Amino acid sequence: MTPAIIASVETMLEKWKGLEVKEIEVYNEFRFLTSEVISRIAFGSNYLEGEKIFAMLNKLKILVSQNIHKTAIPFINKLWKPADMLESEKLEKGIQDCVMEMIKKREDKVVSGEADSFGTDFLGLLVNAYHDLDDKNRVLLEDLVGECKTIYYAGRENVNSLLAWIVLHLAIHGDWQEKARREVIDIFGNQNPHLEGIAKLKIMTMIINETLRLYGPSHGLPRTVAREGQLGKFILPADIDILSLNIGPHRDPHLWGDDVHLFKPERFAEGIAKATNYTAAAFFPFGLGPRSCVGMTLATIETKIALSMILQRYTITISPTYVHSPIAIITIQPQHGIQIILEPLHSC
């Protein structure tokens, strides 16, 4: 997947050449980047082809965040549906139709002999599983569509937010920006990143982990209680939903010290286990246990490639127009965007 990620970042950086020494809002810039990446590596397409799905997912995200804490009265929704529910059902149907169209294109190519398989990307693997002759391995159509929605959304939003918050911190903390740049230049020079070198980016890993601690894209870990159990002093009955907010342990001074709210990547100099004093639940930006995020490695590699290529070319400073206002709309995002100024390292 690395070549596709690099190609997407190069497209973004080419556009940035016309924005040098000008204010640039990076949250939206990274949204286009991560949309392009997930479209290429998972669906064999590009942002323009997936634009309709992204737009509907964005509207659905806002509706979900507006209603996530509202309590529904049993049976009432069968008699009367509020406007938001009707709109969300319409969006769900629209997304499903778009995904079905993508699946049909793959199937038609195989039937016509234009292709000898459904493909080896994420969508291709799912379509293969949908047509599997073994009932035990077959994926239901509902699950196939659900998986596509998840990867479209999570593959874009999480890396989008993470990249934006990292760039903000590097713009504010010039010392860490310079340390990260020196590491990138030492490992890659002026060449594009490669997997062998990505694994050696220790300082960048520290910066990523500290940003995930302070502004992790996911602010909570939703779980359904399978059977009655006890959580601290609370008795949790079966079949209820709980949301464990990771901002609690991530900003707990008892776990991290009195400087818990400060950006200090050196906390992670000796790894996550040492930073958390071997307390696993002190740091879980990608979840915990067997249901931790399957896309963690992809998100980390994509983030490291994008940051490396930016640091090879630019110094980043914060714009005086930036207003700090993080909000939770499923992910933690900047309400007013993140405005920075890019200064090229090398004049043409």
Side-chain angles (χ1 to χ4, degrees):
M1 297 178 181
T2 304
I5 297 172
I6 289 172
S8 298
V9 177
E10 285 178 331
T11 301
M12 179 186 73
L13 293 174
E14 189 63 32
K15 176 189 171 188
W16 284 10
K17 286 182 179 178
L19 300 170
E20 292 170 354
V21 203
K22 297 177 183 176
E23 182 180 279
I24 178 172
E25 199 287 287
V26 288
Y27 182 75
N28 275 326
E29 290 292 316
F30 290 143
R31 174 173 287 172
F32 289 122
L33 169 65
T34 54
S35 299
E36 180 73 16
V37 168
I38 205 64
S39 296
R40 285 192 187 199
I41 65 177
F43 299 98
S45 61
N46 56 43
Y47 169 70
L48 290 176
E49 288 183 38
E51 188 174 14
K52 190 175 179 182
I53 293 178
F54 287 126
M56 288 188 287
L57 282 170
N58 225 37
K59 291 178 182 176
L60 193 59
K61 173 186 75 172
I62 294 168
L63 288 173
V64 169
S65 65
Q66 288 173 345
N67 293 276
I68 197 166
H69 297 301
K70 291 182 180 178
T71 303
I73 301 172
F75 310 116
I76 290 293
N77 286 341
K78 292 183 178 180
L79 302 173
W80 174 80
K81 292 182 179 181
D84 282 359
M85 183 176 287
L86 292 171
E87 178 65 14
S88 67
E89 288 178 355
K90 180 181 173 185
L91 291 168
E92 288 273 5
K93 175 69 166 54
I95 293 167
Q96 178 165 329
D97 289 346
C98 286
V99 172
M100 290 303 300
E101 188 178 329
M102 292 165 58
I103 294 168
K104 190 173 186 309
K105 283 182 182 178
R106 296 284 178 107
E107 292 173 332
D108 288 348
K109 284 185 177 181
V110 172
V111 170
S112 66
E114 189 179 339
D116 56 7
S117 75
F118 298 119
T120 56
D121 57 9
F122 181 76
L123 179 61
L125 295 173
L126 282 174
V127 177
N128 270 313
Y130 173 57
H131 287 280
D132 200 303
L133 298 176
D134 187 341
D135 288 347
K136 293 179 181 177
N137 297 328
R138 190 178 303 142
V139 173
L140 299 175
L141 182 61
E142 180 185 353
D143 292 332
L144 191 161
V145 174
E147 293 290 351
C148 288
K149 285 193 296 186
T150 299
I151 200 70
Y152 255 125
Y153 181 80
R156 179 184 74 160
E157 289 290 320
N158 290 340
V159 184
N160 178 190
S161 294
L162 177 57
L163 275 170
W165 292 120
I166 291 174
V167 165
L168 172 68
H169 283 104
L170 293 182
I172 294 170
H173 302 276
D175 54 338
W176 281 103
Q177 181 181 159
E178 193 51 42
K179 287 177 187 177
R181 180 177 293 106
R182 281 201 302 269
E183 180 180 63
V184 168
I185 299 299
D186 286 346
I187 294 174
F188 302 121
N190 291 321
Q191 303 301 309
N192 282 336
H194 47 77
L195 277 179
E196 183 185 351
I198 288 169
K200 297 176 182 177
L201 291 170
K202 180 182 176 181
I203 289 172
M204 190 176 290
T205 300
M206 291 158 55
I207 291 168
I208 290 172
N209 283 336
E210 181 68 342
T211 306
L212 284 168
R213 185 184 71 81
L214 291 169
Y215 294 96
S218 171
H219 67 293
L221 199 62
R223 288 291 182 264
T224 298
V225 180
R227 59 182 180 274
E228 184 179 298
Q230 187 163 353
L231 183 65
K233 62 182 180 180
F234 299 106
I235 301 294
L236 303 179
D239 300 322
I240 66 165
D241 295 327
I242 61 171
L243 181 65
S244 170
L245 297 177
N246 57 23
I247 194 172
H250 284 189
R251 291 186 179 244
D252 187 343
H254 297 294
L255 294 169
W256 301 94
D258 292 337
D259 57 359
V260 65
H261 298 301
L262 301 181
F263 178 76
K264 297 183 72 174
E266 62 265 31
R267 300 178 205 277
F268 292 94
E270 297 180 65
I272 293 172
K274 193 73 181 289
T276 59
N277 199 23
Y278 303 95
T279 307
F283 184 69
F284 56 98
F286 289 101
L288 279 174
R291 291 187 179 274
S292 59
C293 178
V294 72
M296 178 174 67
T297 303
L298 171 62
T300 305
I301 290 174
E302 185 179 346
T303 299
K304 288 180 176 180
I305 289 173
L307 288 174
S308 295
M309 294 175 71
I310 292 168
L311 290 170
Q312 285 173 325
R313 293 162 174 79
Y314 295 107
T315 57
I316 310 160
T317 54
I318 194 74
S319 169
T321 63
Y322 172 69
V323 176
H324 192 64
S325 181
I327 56 170
I329 304 180
I330 309 298
T331 57
I332 304 296
Q333 53 190 257
Q335 184 177 9
H336 308 296
I338 293 178
Q339 294 77 21
I340 61 165
I341 296 169
L342 298 169
E343 292 272 358
L345 287 173
H346 311 288
S347 56
C348 295

mmCIF file of all heavy atoms in Angstrom, residues 99-109:
data_model
loop_
_atom_site.group_PDB
_atom_site.id
_atom_site.type_symbol
_atom_site.label_atom_id
_atom_site.label_comp_id
_atom_site.label_asym_id
_atom_site.label_seq_id
_atom_site.Cartn_x
_atom_site.Cartn_y
_atom_site.Cartn_z
ATOM 1 N N VAL A 99 -22.414 1.436 -2.837
ATOM 2 C CA VAL A 99 -21.552 0.269 -2.624
ATOM 3 C C VAL A 99 -21.977 -0.873 -3.541
ATOM 4 O O VAL A 99 -21.138 -1.559 -4.148
ATOM 5 C CB VAL A 99 -21.579 -0.175 -1.138
ATOM 6 C CG1 VAL A 99 -20.840 -1.502 -0.968
ATOM 7 C CG2 VAL A 99 -20.955 0.891 -0.241
ATOM 8 N N MET A 100 -23.287 -1.093 -3.665
ATOM 9 C CA MET A 100 -23.796 -2.156 -4.535
ATOM 10 C C MET A 100 -23.389 -1.919 -5.994
ATOM 11 O O MET A 100 -23.092 -2.864 -6.737
ATOM 12 C CB MET A 100 -25.320 -2.243 -4.428
ATOM 13 C CG MET A 100 -25.827 -2.776 -3.090
ATOM 14 S SD MET A 100 -25.162 -4.406 -2.701
ATOM 15 C CE MET A 100 -25.770 -5.364 -4.079
ATOM 16 N N GLU A 101 -23.351 -0.662 -6.392
ATOM 17 C CA GLU A 101 -22.931 -0.323 -7.755
ATOM 18 C C GLU A 101 -21.463 -0.693 -7.977
ATOM 19 O O GLU A 101 -21.083 -1.220 -9.029
ATOM 20 C CB GLU A 101 -23.138 1.186 -7.989
ATOM 21 C CG GLU A 101 -22.916 1.617 -9.428
ATOM 22 C CD GLU A 101 -23.177 3.101 -9.622
ATOM 23 O OE1 GLU A 101 -24.021 3.666 -8.911
ATOM 24 O OE2 GLU A 101 -22.516 3.689 -10.497
ATOM 25 N N MET A 102 -20.627 -0.432 -6.946
ATOM 26 C CA MET A 102 -19.208 -0.792 -7.025
ATOM 27 C C MET A 102 -19.037 -2.309 -7.118
ATOM 28 O O MET A 102 -18.213 -2.815 -7.885
ATOM 29 C CB MET A 102 -18.469 -0.262 -5.795
ATOM 30 C CG MET A 102 -18.356 1.246 -5.728
ATOM 31 S SD MET A 102 -17.884 1.834 -4.093
ATOM 32 C CE MET A 102 -16.340 0.993 -3.841
ATOM 33 N N ILE A 103 -19.825 -3.038 -6.323
ATOM 34 C CA ILE A 103 -19.753 -4.506 -6.329
ATOM 35 C C ILE A 103 -20.163 -5.050 -7.697
ATOM 36 O O ILE A 103 -19.506 -5.934 -8.254
ATOM 37 C CB ILE A 103 -20.661 -5.092 -5.226
ATOM 38 C CG1 ILE A 103 -20.124 -4.712 -3.837
ATOM 39 C CG2 ILE A 103 -20.773 -6.602 -5.353
ATOM 40 C CD1 ILE A 103 -21.089 -4.992 -2.708
ATOM 41 N N LYS A 104 -21.252 -4.493 -8.242
ATOM 42 C CA LYS A 104 -21.755 -4.971 -9.542
ATOM 43 C C LYS A 104 -20.719 -4.757 -10.644
ATOM 44 O O LYS A 104 -20.567 -5.592 -11.553
ATOM 45 C CB LYS A 104 -23.064 -4.263 -9.892
ATOM 46 C CG LYS A 104 -23.766 -4.880 -11.100
ATOM 47 C CD LYS A 104 -25.126 -4.275 -11.331
ATOM 48 C CE LYS A 104 -25.876 -4.987 -12.450
ATOM 49 N NZ LYS A 104 -25.104 -5.127 -13.704
ATOM 50 N N LYS A 105 -19.970 -3.649 -10.593
ATOM 51 C CA LYS A 105 -18.926 -3.389 -11.590
ATOM 52 C C LYS A 105 -17.876 -4.490 -11.557
ATOM 53 O O LYS A 105 -17.410 -4.962 -12.601
ATOM 54 C CB LYS A 105 -18.272 -2.026 -11.336
ATOM 55 C CG LYS A 105 -19.095 -0.836 -11.796
ATOM 56 C CD LYS A 105 -18.345 0.460 -11.539
ATOM 57 C CE LYS A 105 -19.177 1.676 -11.962
ATOM 58 N NZ LYS A 105 -18.468 2.948 -11.659
ATOM 59 N N ARG A 106 -17.481 -4.885 -10.319
ATOM 60 C CA ARG A 106 -16.487 -5.958 -10.179
ATOM 61 C C ARG A 106 -17.048 -7.273 -10.749
ATOM 62 O O ARG A 106 -16.360 -8.004 -11.451
ATOM 63 C CB ARG A 106 -16.110 -6.152 -8.714
ATOM 64 C CG ARG A 106 -15.409 -4.956 -8.050
ATOM 65 C CD ARG A 106 -13.959 -4.857 -8.486
ATOM 66 N NE ARG A 106 -13.328 -3.687 -7.893
ATOM 67 C CZ ARG A 106 -12.432 -3.749 -6.897
ATOM 68 N NH1 ARG A 106 -12.067 -4.919 -6.409
ATOM 69 N NH2 ARG A 106 -11.888 -2.642 -6.418
ATOM 70 N N GLU A 107 -18.301 -7.565 -10.389
ATOM 71 C CA GLU A 107 -18.921 -8.820 -10.846
ATOM 72 C C GLU A 107 -19.061 -8.842 -12.368
ATOM 73 O O GLU A 107 -18.787 -9.868 -13.004
ATOM 74 C CB GLU A 107 -20.285 -8.995 -10.176
ATOM 75 C CG GLU A 107 -20.209 -9.245 -8.678
ATOM 76 C CD GLU A 107 -21.573 -9.250 -8.000
ATOM 77 O OE1 GLU A 107 -22.493 -8.565 -8.506
ATOM 78 O OE2 GLU A 107 -21.710 -9.922 -6.979
ATOM 79 N N ASP A 108 -19.462 -7.718 -12.950
ATOM 80 C CA ASP A 108 -19.660 -7.651 -14.403
ATOM 81 C C ASP A 108 -18.347 -7.872 -15.153
ATOM 82 O O ASP A 108 -18.330 -8.505 -16.224
ATOM 83 C CB ASP A 108 -20.256 -6.294 -14.795
ATOM 84 C CG ASP A 108 -21.719 -6.155 -14.384
ATOM 85 O OD1 ASP A 108 -22.322 -7.187 -14.016
ATOM 86 O OD2 ASP A 108 -22.241 -5.027 -14.421
ATOM 87 N N LYS A 109 -17.243 -7.353 -14.606
ATOM 88 C CA LYS A 109 -15.947 -7.531 -15.266
ATOM 89 C C LYS A 109 -15.529 -8.996 -15.296
ATOM 90 O O LYS A 109 -14.942 -9.470 -16.275
ATOM 91 C CB LYS A 109 -14.877 -6.696 -14.553
ATOM 92 C CG LYS A 109 -14.942 -5.213 -14.860
ATOM 93 C CD LYS A 109 -13.787 -4.452 -14.231
ATOM 94 C CE LYS A 109 -13.814 -2.977 -14.614
ATOM 95 N NZ LYS A 109 -12.679 -2.228 -14.015
#
